[in-house]
Amino acid sequence: MYRHCKNKFEKCKDVTWDDVMKKLSYEFSIGSHKFIAESPNIPPSFVMHTNKFPGTLFDAFEELRVKENAMDMHVYMSLGGNSSTFGRHKDGNNVLIVQAIGKIHYAFDDGNVVTLKPGDSLLIKKGTYHNPIVSGPRVTLSASVP
């Protein structure tokens, strides 16, 4: 089960590459990032987990916290199309996906594919299988919500 909303999150659309790179640099320095790479020929993705959010990322997290009671926020970043992801998976909690930069597609087992552009969101209920498909450089925000 999932719900797609278009253009709901204004602050999330304001996220800058500069602030994402500051976050990535910080996470590299403390070793908290995840690096997802399927093979040397497929661009990697990075997942950033800490609650340190520079500038526009802080504003985006506050928007998610206030509007959706977000408990945390992970930042996913890919630099190329067809970048590595976690593939088809399900989560143990409700997840709110909000697109910040670029676009991403989510395929579901019912055959539907949802495309997210900056400011769009996708609420995925726990236990729902989904597969992120990266089409180019992107930054995607992911938050656990009640």
Side-chain angles (χ1 to χ4, degrees):
M1 217 162 101
Y2 53 92
R3 185 182 75 226
H4 177 212
C5 292
K6 292 188 176 194
N7 210 26
K8 182 176 179 180
F9 294 94
E10 290 299 317
K11 297 285 186 187
C12 294
K13 292 193 301 189
D14 294 337
V15 168
T16 66
W17 278 110
D18 186 52
D19 287 335
V20 172
M21 295 310 293
K22 286 177 187 173
K23 180 167 181 58
L24 184 61
S25 178
Y26 170 75
E27 298 233 358
F28 262 92
S29 75
I30 64 169
S32 61
H33 69 288
K34 267 191 185 169
F35 182 71
I36 306 168
E38 294 174 41
S39 77
N41 300 327
I42 299 174
S45 289
F46 299 90
V47 184
M48 296 164 264
H49 292 286
T50 69
N51 281 332
K52 179 176 174 136
F53 303 116
T56 57
L57 284 168
F58 178 81
D59 296 339
F61 176 63
E62 282 299 298
E63 184 176 37
L64 297 181
R65 191 184 61 74
V66 169
K67 287 185 176 179
E68 299 291 336
N69 295 317
M71 298 176 261
D72 56 24
M73 184 175 81
H74 298 163
V75 179
Y76 291 74
M77 180 186 83
S78 304
L79 299 176
N82 298 318
S83 290
S84 299
T85 68
F86 288 128
R88 180 182 176 268
H89 68 282
K90 65 180 179 176
D91 295 295
N93 52 351
N94 298 327
V95 176
L96 179 69
I97 306 292
V98 180
Q99 194 60 20
I101 299 173
K103 65 181 178 179
I104 191 165
H105 314 280
Y106 282 85
F108 292 92
D109 286 358
D110 64 5
N112 286 327
V113 176
V114 174
T115 299
L116 298 179
K117 296 177 182 175
D120 293 352
S121 66
L122 182 61
L123 176 64
I124 304 173
K125 296 288 185 176
K126 67 179 177 180
T128 301
Y129 280 95
H130 54 285
N131 184 20
I133 303 164
V134 179
S135 58
R138 60 90 185 214
V139 174
T140 304
L141 311 175
S142 174
S144 299
V145 293

